[in-house]
Amino acid sequence: MKTNIYGLLLEEMEELIVSIGIEKYRTKQIVEWLYQRDVDSFMEMTNLPLAKRSLLANAFEIQKVSLKRQLNSKDGKTIKYLLGFSDGEAVETVLMRQPYGNSVCVSSQVGCGMGCVFCASTLNGLVRNLSAGEMLSQVLFINQILKQEGKAVNNIVIMGSGEPLANYDNVIKFIRLCHEAYCLNLSYRNVTLSTSGIVPVIDKLSNEGLPITLSISLHAPDNSIRSSIMPINIHYKIEEIIAAADRYTKNTGRRVTYEYTLIAGINDDTEHAKQLVKLLKGKIINVNLIPVNDVIERGLHRPKQDKIKNFESVLRLNHINVTVRKEMGADIQAACGQLRNESLNK
């Protein structure tokens, strides 16, 4: 079997190509063809001698995503892609055109094993982790589309299907690849990673020296509610997660964002907002309120607009930095997992 060369760091690729008799300096040419010019075949690498290209083709392969389905929002700002891999599995990746740039929401796993009741990604459980190359391929697929418009990917949010910290090594490698000049040359500060709160791995991440934005899925103001909607809370309580977030800020100098999905009748009352204030007041953080996308299979619904505004007001009056996530792509089911589940059901 041929080795998939897509998704390797420069130093990893150097070792491989030298082992088949190709000069080390050729590595820079190869990675630029793969990650900047997005070629599908070694034969397209025209600044390499034909004999070298043949050596590469005989030893290695280039595995990238293929488009299975695409949904465009009516306003043209959001596009949702169902992207397939060589083993037949697929994930969703979303392009969001925003005033501050083009953001791509990337999946880190096929499915998800975290069991959060408000998320469609977890309905069919975890299938497998994605490799660094499979995550990178999602981004570069969209980057090639943007290049045709004279644009590029400006921000990456690892908030698609899966728990990134449960696929730690591949996710870190993916982030490092995106930062490399021979790839996307993206600042670490333009990368956001969202986690349900695996405390020991948050601490591990804080020691990586990567100044990425950490976003924590809190979604409840107390352990009773959080445990009922997020099984991870059985292992890591809210107080432990907030303490880990504080350590992350101390180690990296980066402000943590807490995501709070508002679900009608579960966590959207004024009292819940006051409890959240007690947890977070005085901390240098952001709160991102996310009115839930209806998940029919779970019977969960979006709160009425006055409930959302009231919850926001309680936080704002108590000097909590808060935003309500601008809804993008609701008409194309842009929430994680919905398009993949529909495809699986068919």
Side-chain angles (χ1 to χ4, degrees):
M1 291 181 64
K2 295 181 180 181
T3 300
N4 176 30
I5 207 170
Y6 195 87
L8 297 182
L9 290 159
L10 183 71
E11 53 270 26
E12 294 174 313
M13 201 172 293
E14 281 178 351
E15 186 177 340
L16 278 181
I17 71 159
V18 168
S19 73
I20 63 167
I22 296 178
E23 302 87 349
K24 183 178 177 179
Y25 77 89
R26 297 281 186 191
T27 313
K28 187 77 181 304
Q29 296 171 310
I30 295 167
V31 293
E32 288 177 352
W33 279 108
L34 286 176
Y35 305 142
Q36 292 183 2
R37 304 193 192 189
D38 203 41
V39 299
D40 297 311
S41 165
F42 294 109
M43 291 303 164
E44 295 177 68
M45 301 179 181
T46 51
N47 59 349
L48 275 69
L50 182 58
K52 306 294 184 186
R53 285 179 267 165
S54 296
L55 277 174
L56 288 167
N58 289 332
F60 307 122
E61 61 182 348
I62 301 169
Q63 290 184 6
K64 297 196 292 187
V65 293
S66 59
L67 179 62
K68 300 188 71 164
R69 196 173 170 197
Q70 174 178 330
L71 296 176
N72 294 54
S73 65
K74 290 178 182 177
D75 63 10
K77 294 180 180 179
T78 307
I79 306 176
K80 187 170 192 176
Y81 302 94
L82 184 65
L83 301 176
F85 302 111
S86 58
D87 64 353
E89 297 295 345
V91 297
E92 291 151 86
T93 309
V94 181
L95 166 63
M96 296 164 285
R97 302 175 189 270
Q98 295 166 319
Y100 52 82
N102 297 301
S103 296
V104 176
C105 184
V106 178
S107 293
S108 58
Q109 296 177 311
V110 179
C112 184
M114 303 313 290
C116 302
V117 299
F118 49 83
C119 182
S121 296
T122 197
L123 287 170
N124 292 290
L126 175 65
V127 177
R128 67 172 177 83
N129 287 334
L130 294 184
S131 68
E134 287 171 327
M135 285 178 266
L136 180 64
S137 188
Q138 295 172 59
V139 178
L140 295 188
F141 173 87
I142 292 176
N143 201 52
Q144 284 301 114
I145 293 170
L146 291 171
K147 274 186 179 180
Q148 296 170 21
E149 306 170 13
K151 299 175 182 177
V153 171
N154 305 113
N155 305 284
I156 292 172
V157 289
I158 311 172
M159 291 185 181
S161 297
E163 165 54 65
L165 295 189
N167 185 17
Y168 187 82
D169 290 342
N170 285 319
V171 167
I172 294 300
K173 183 177 174 181
F174 159 66
I175 293 170
R176 292 189 186 280
L177 268 168
C178 292
H179 177 69
E180 292 292 346
Y182 57 76
C183 192
L184 277 172
N185 198 27
L186 194 72
S187 168
Y188 287 128
R189 293 177 180 271
N190 291 76
V191 177
T192 298
L193 183 150
S194 176
T195 177
S196 60
I198 306 176
V199 169
V201 194
I202 292 174
D203 287 330
K204 186 177 180 180
L205 178 65
S206 73
N207 293 319
E208 285 284 352
L210 303 177
I212 65 172
T213 299
L214 180 66
S215 185
I216 295 178
S217 298
L218 196 63
H219 305 313
D222 64 49
N223 286 309
S224 175
I225 296 174
R226 194 168 193 266
S227 294
S228 71
I229 61 175
M230 297 183 71
I232 187 69
N233 201 70
I234 296 167
H235 303 286
Y236 306 110
K237 303 300 183 188
I238 288 177
E239 295 77 13
E240 297 174 77
I241 292 167
I242 291 174
D246 290 345
R247 291 191 293 272
Y248 185 86
T249 296
K250 183 179 179 180
N251 286 353
T252 65
R254 300 287 284 159
R255 182 190 296 250
V256 169
T257 294
Y258 288 99
E259 296 169 327
Y260 192 103
T261 294
L262 289 164
I263 309 169
I266 293 179
N267 65 355
D268 63 337
D269 287 340
T270 299
E271 189 56 38
H272 296 139
K274 290 177 179 178
Q275 287 178 277
L276 189 60
V277 167
K278 287 181 181 178
L279 285 174
L280 302 178
K281 194 166 186 178
K283 296 184 181 295
I284 304 172
I285 52 91
N286 298 312
V287 173
N288 189 11
L289 298 178
I290 309 166
V292 72
N293 284 293
D294 288 357
V295 181
I296 297 168
E297 298 91 340
R298 304 286 198 188
L300 303 179
H301 302 287
R302 178 191 180 100
K304 294 187 181 301
Q305 194 61 32
D306 61 337
K307 280 270 196 179
I308 298 169
K309 286 190 172 296
N310 182 62
F311 201 102
E312 179 190 7
S313 294
V314 172
L315 269 60
R316 201 174 295 283
L317 287 170
N318 284 278
H319 310 292
I320 302 287
N321 190 25
V322 58
T323 57
V324 178
R325 179 176 291 179
K326 184 180 178 182
E327 191 170 49
M328 296 189 72
D331 58 318
I332 57 169
Q333 296 185 316
C336 302
Q338 292 179 313
L339 183 56
R340 176 174 175 267
N341 289 339
E342 183 183 316
S343 178
L344 288 173
N345 291 335
K346 286 182 179 179

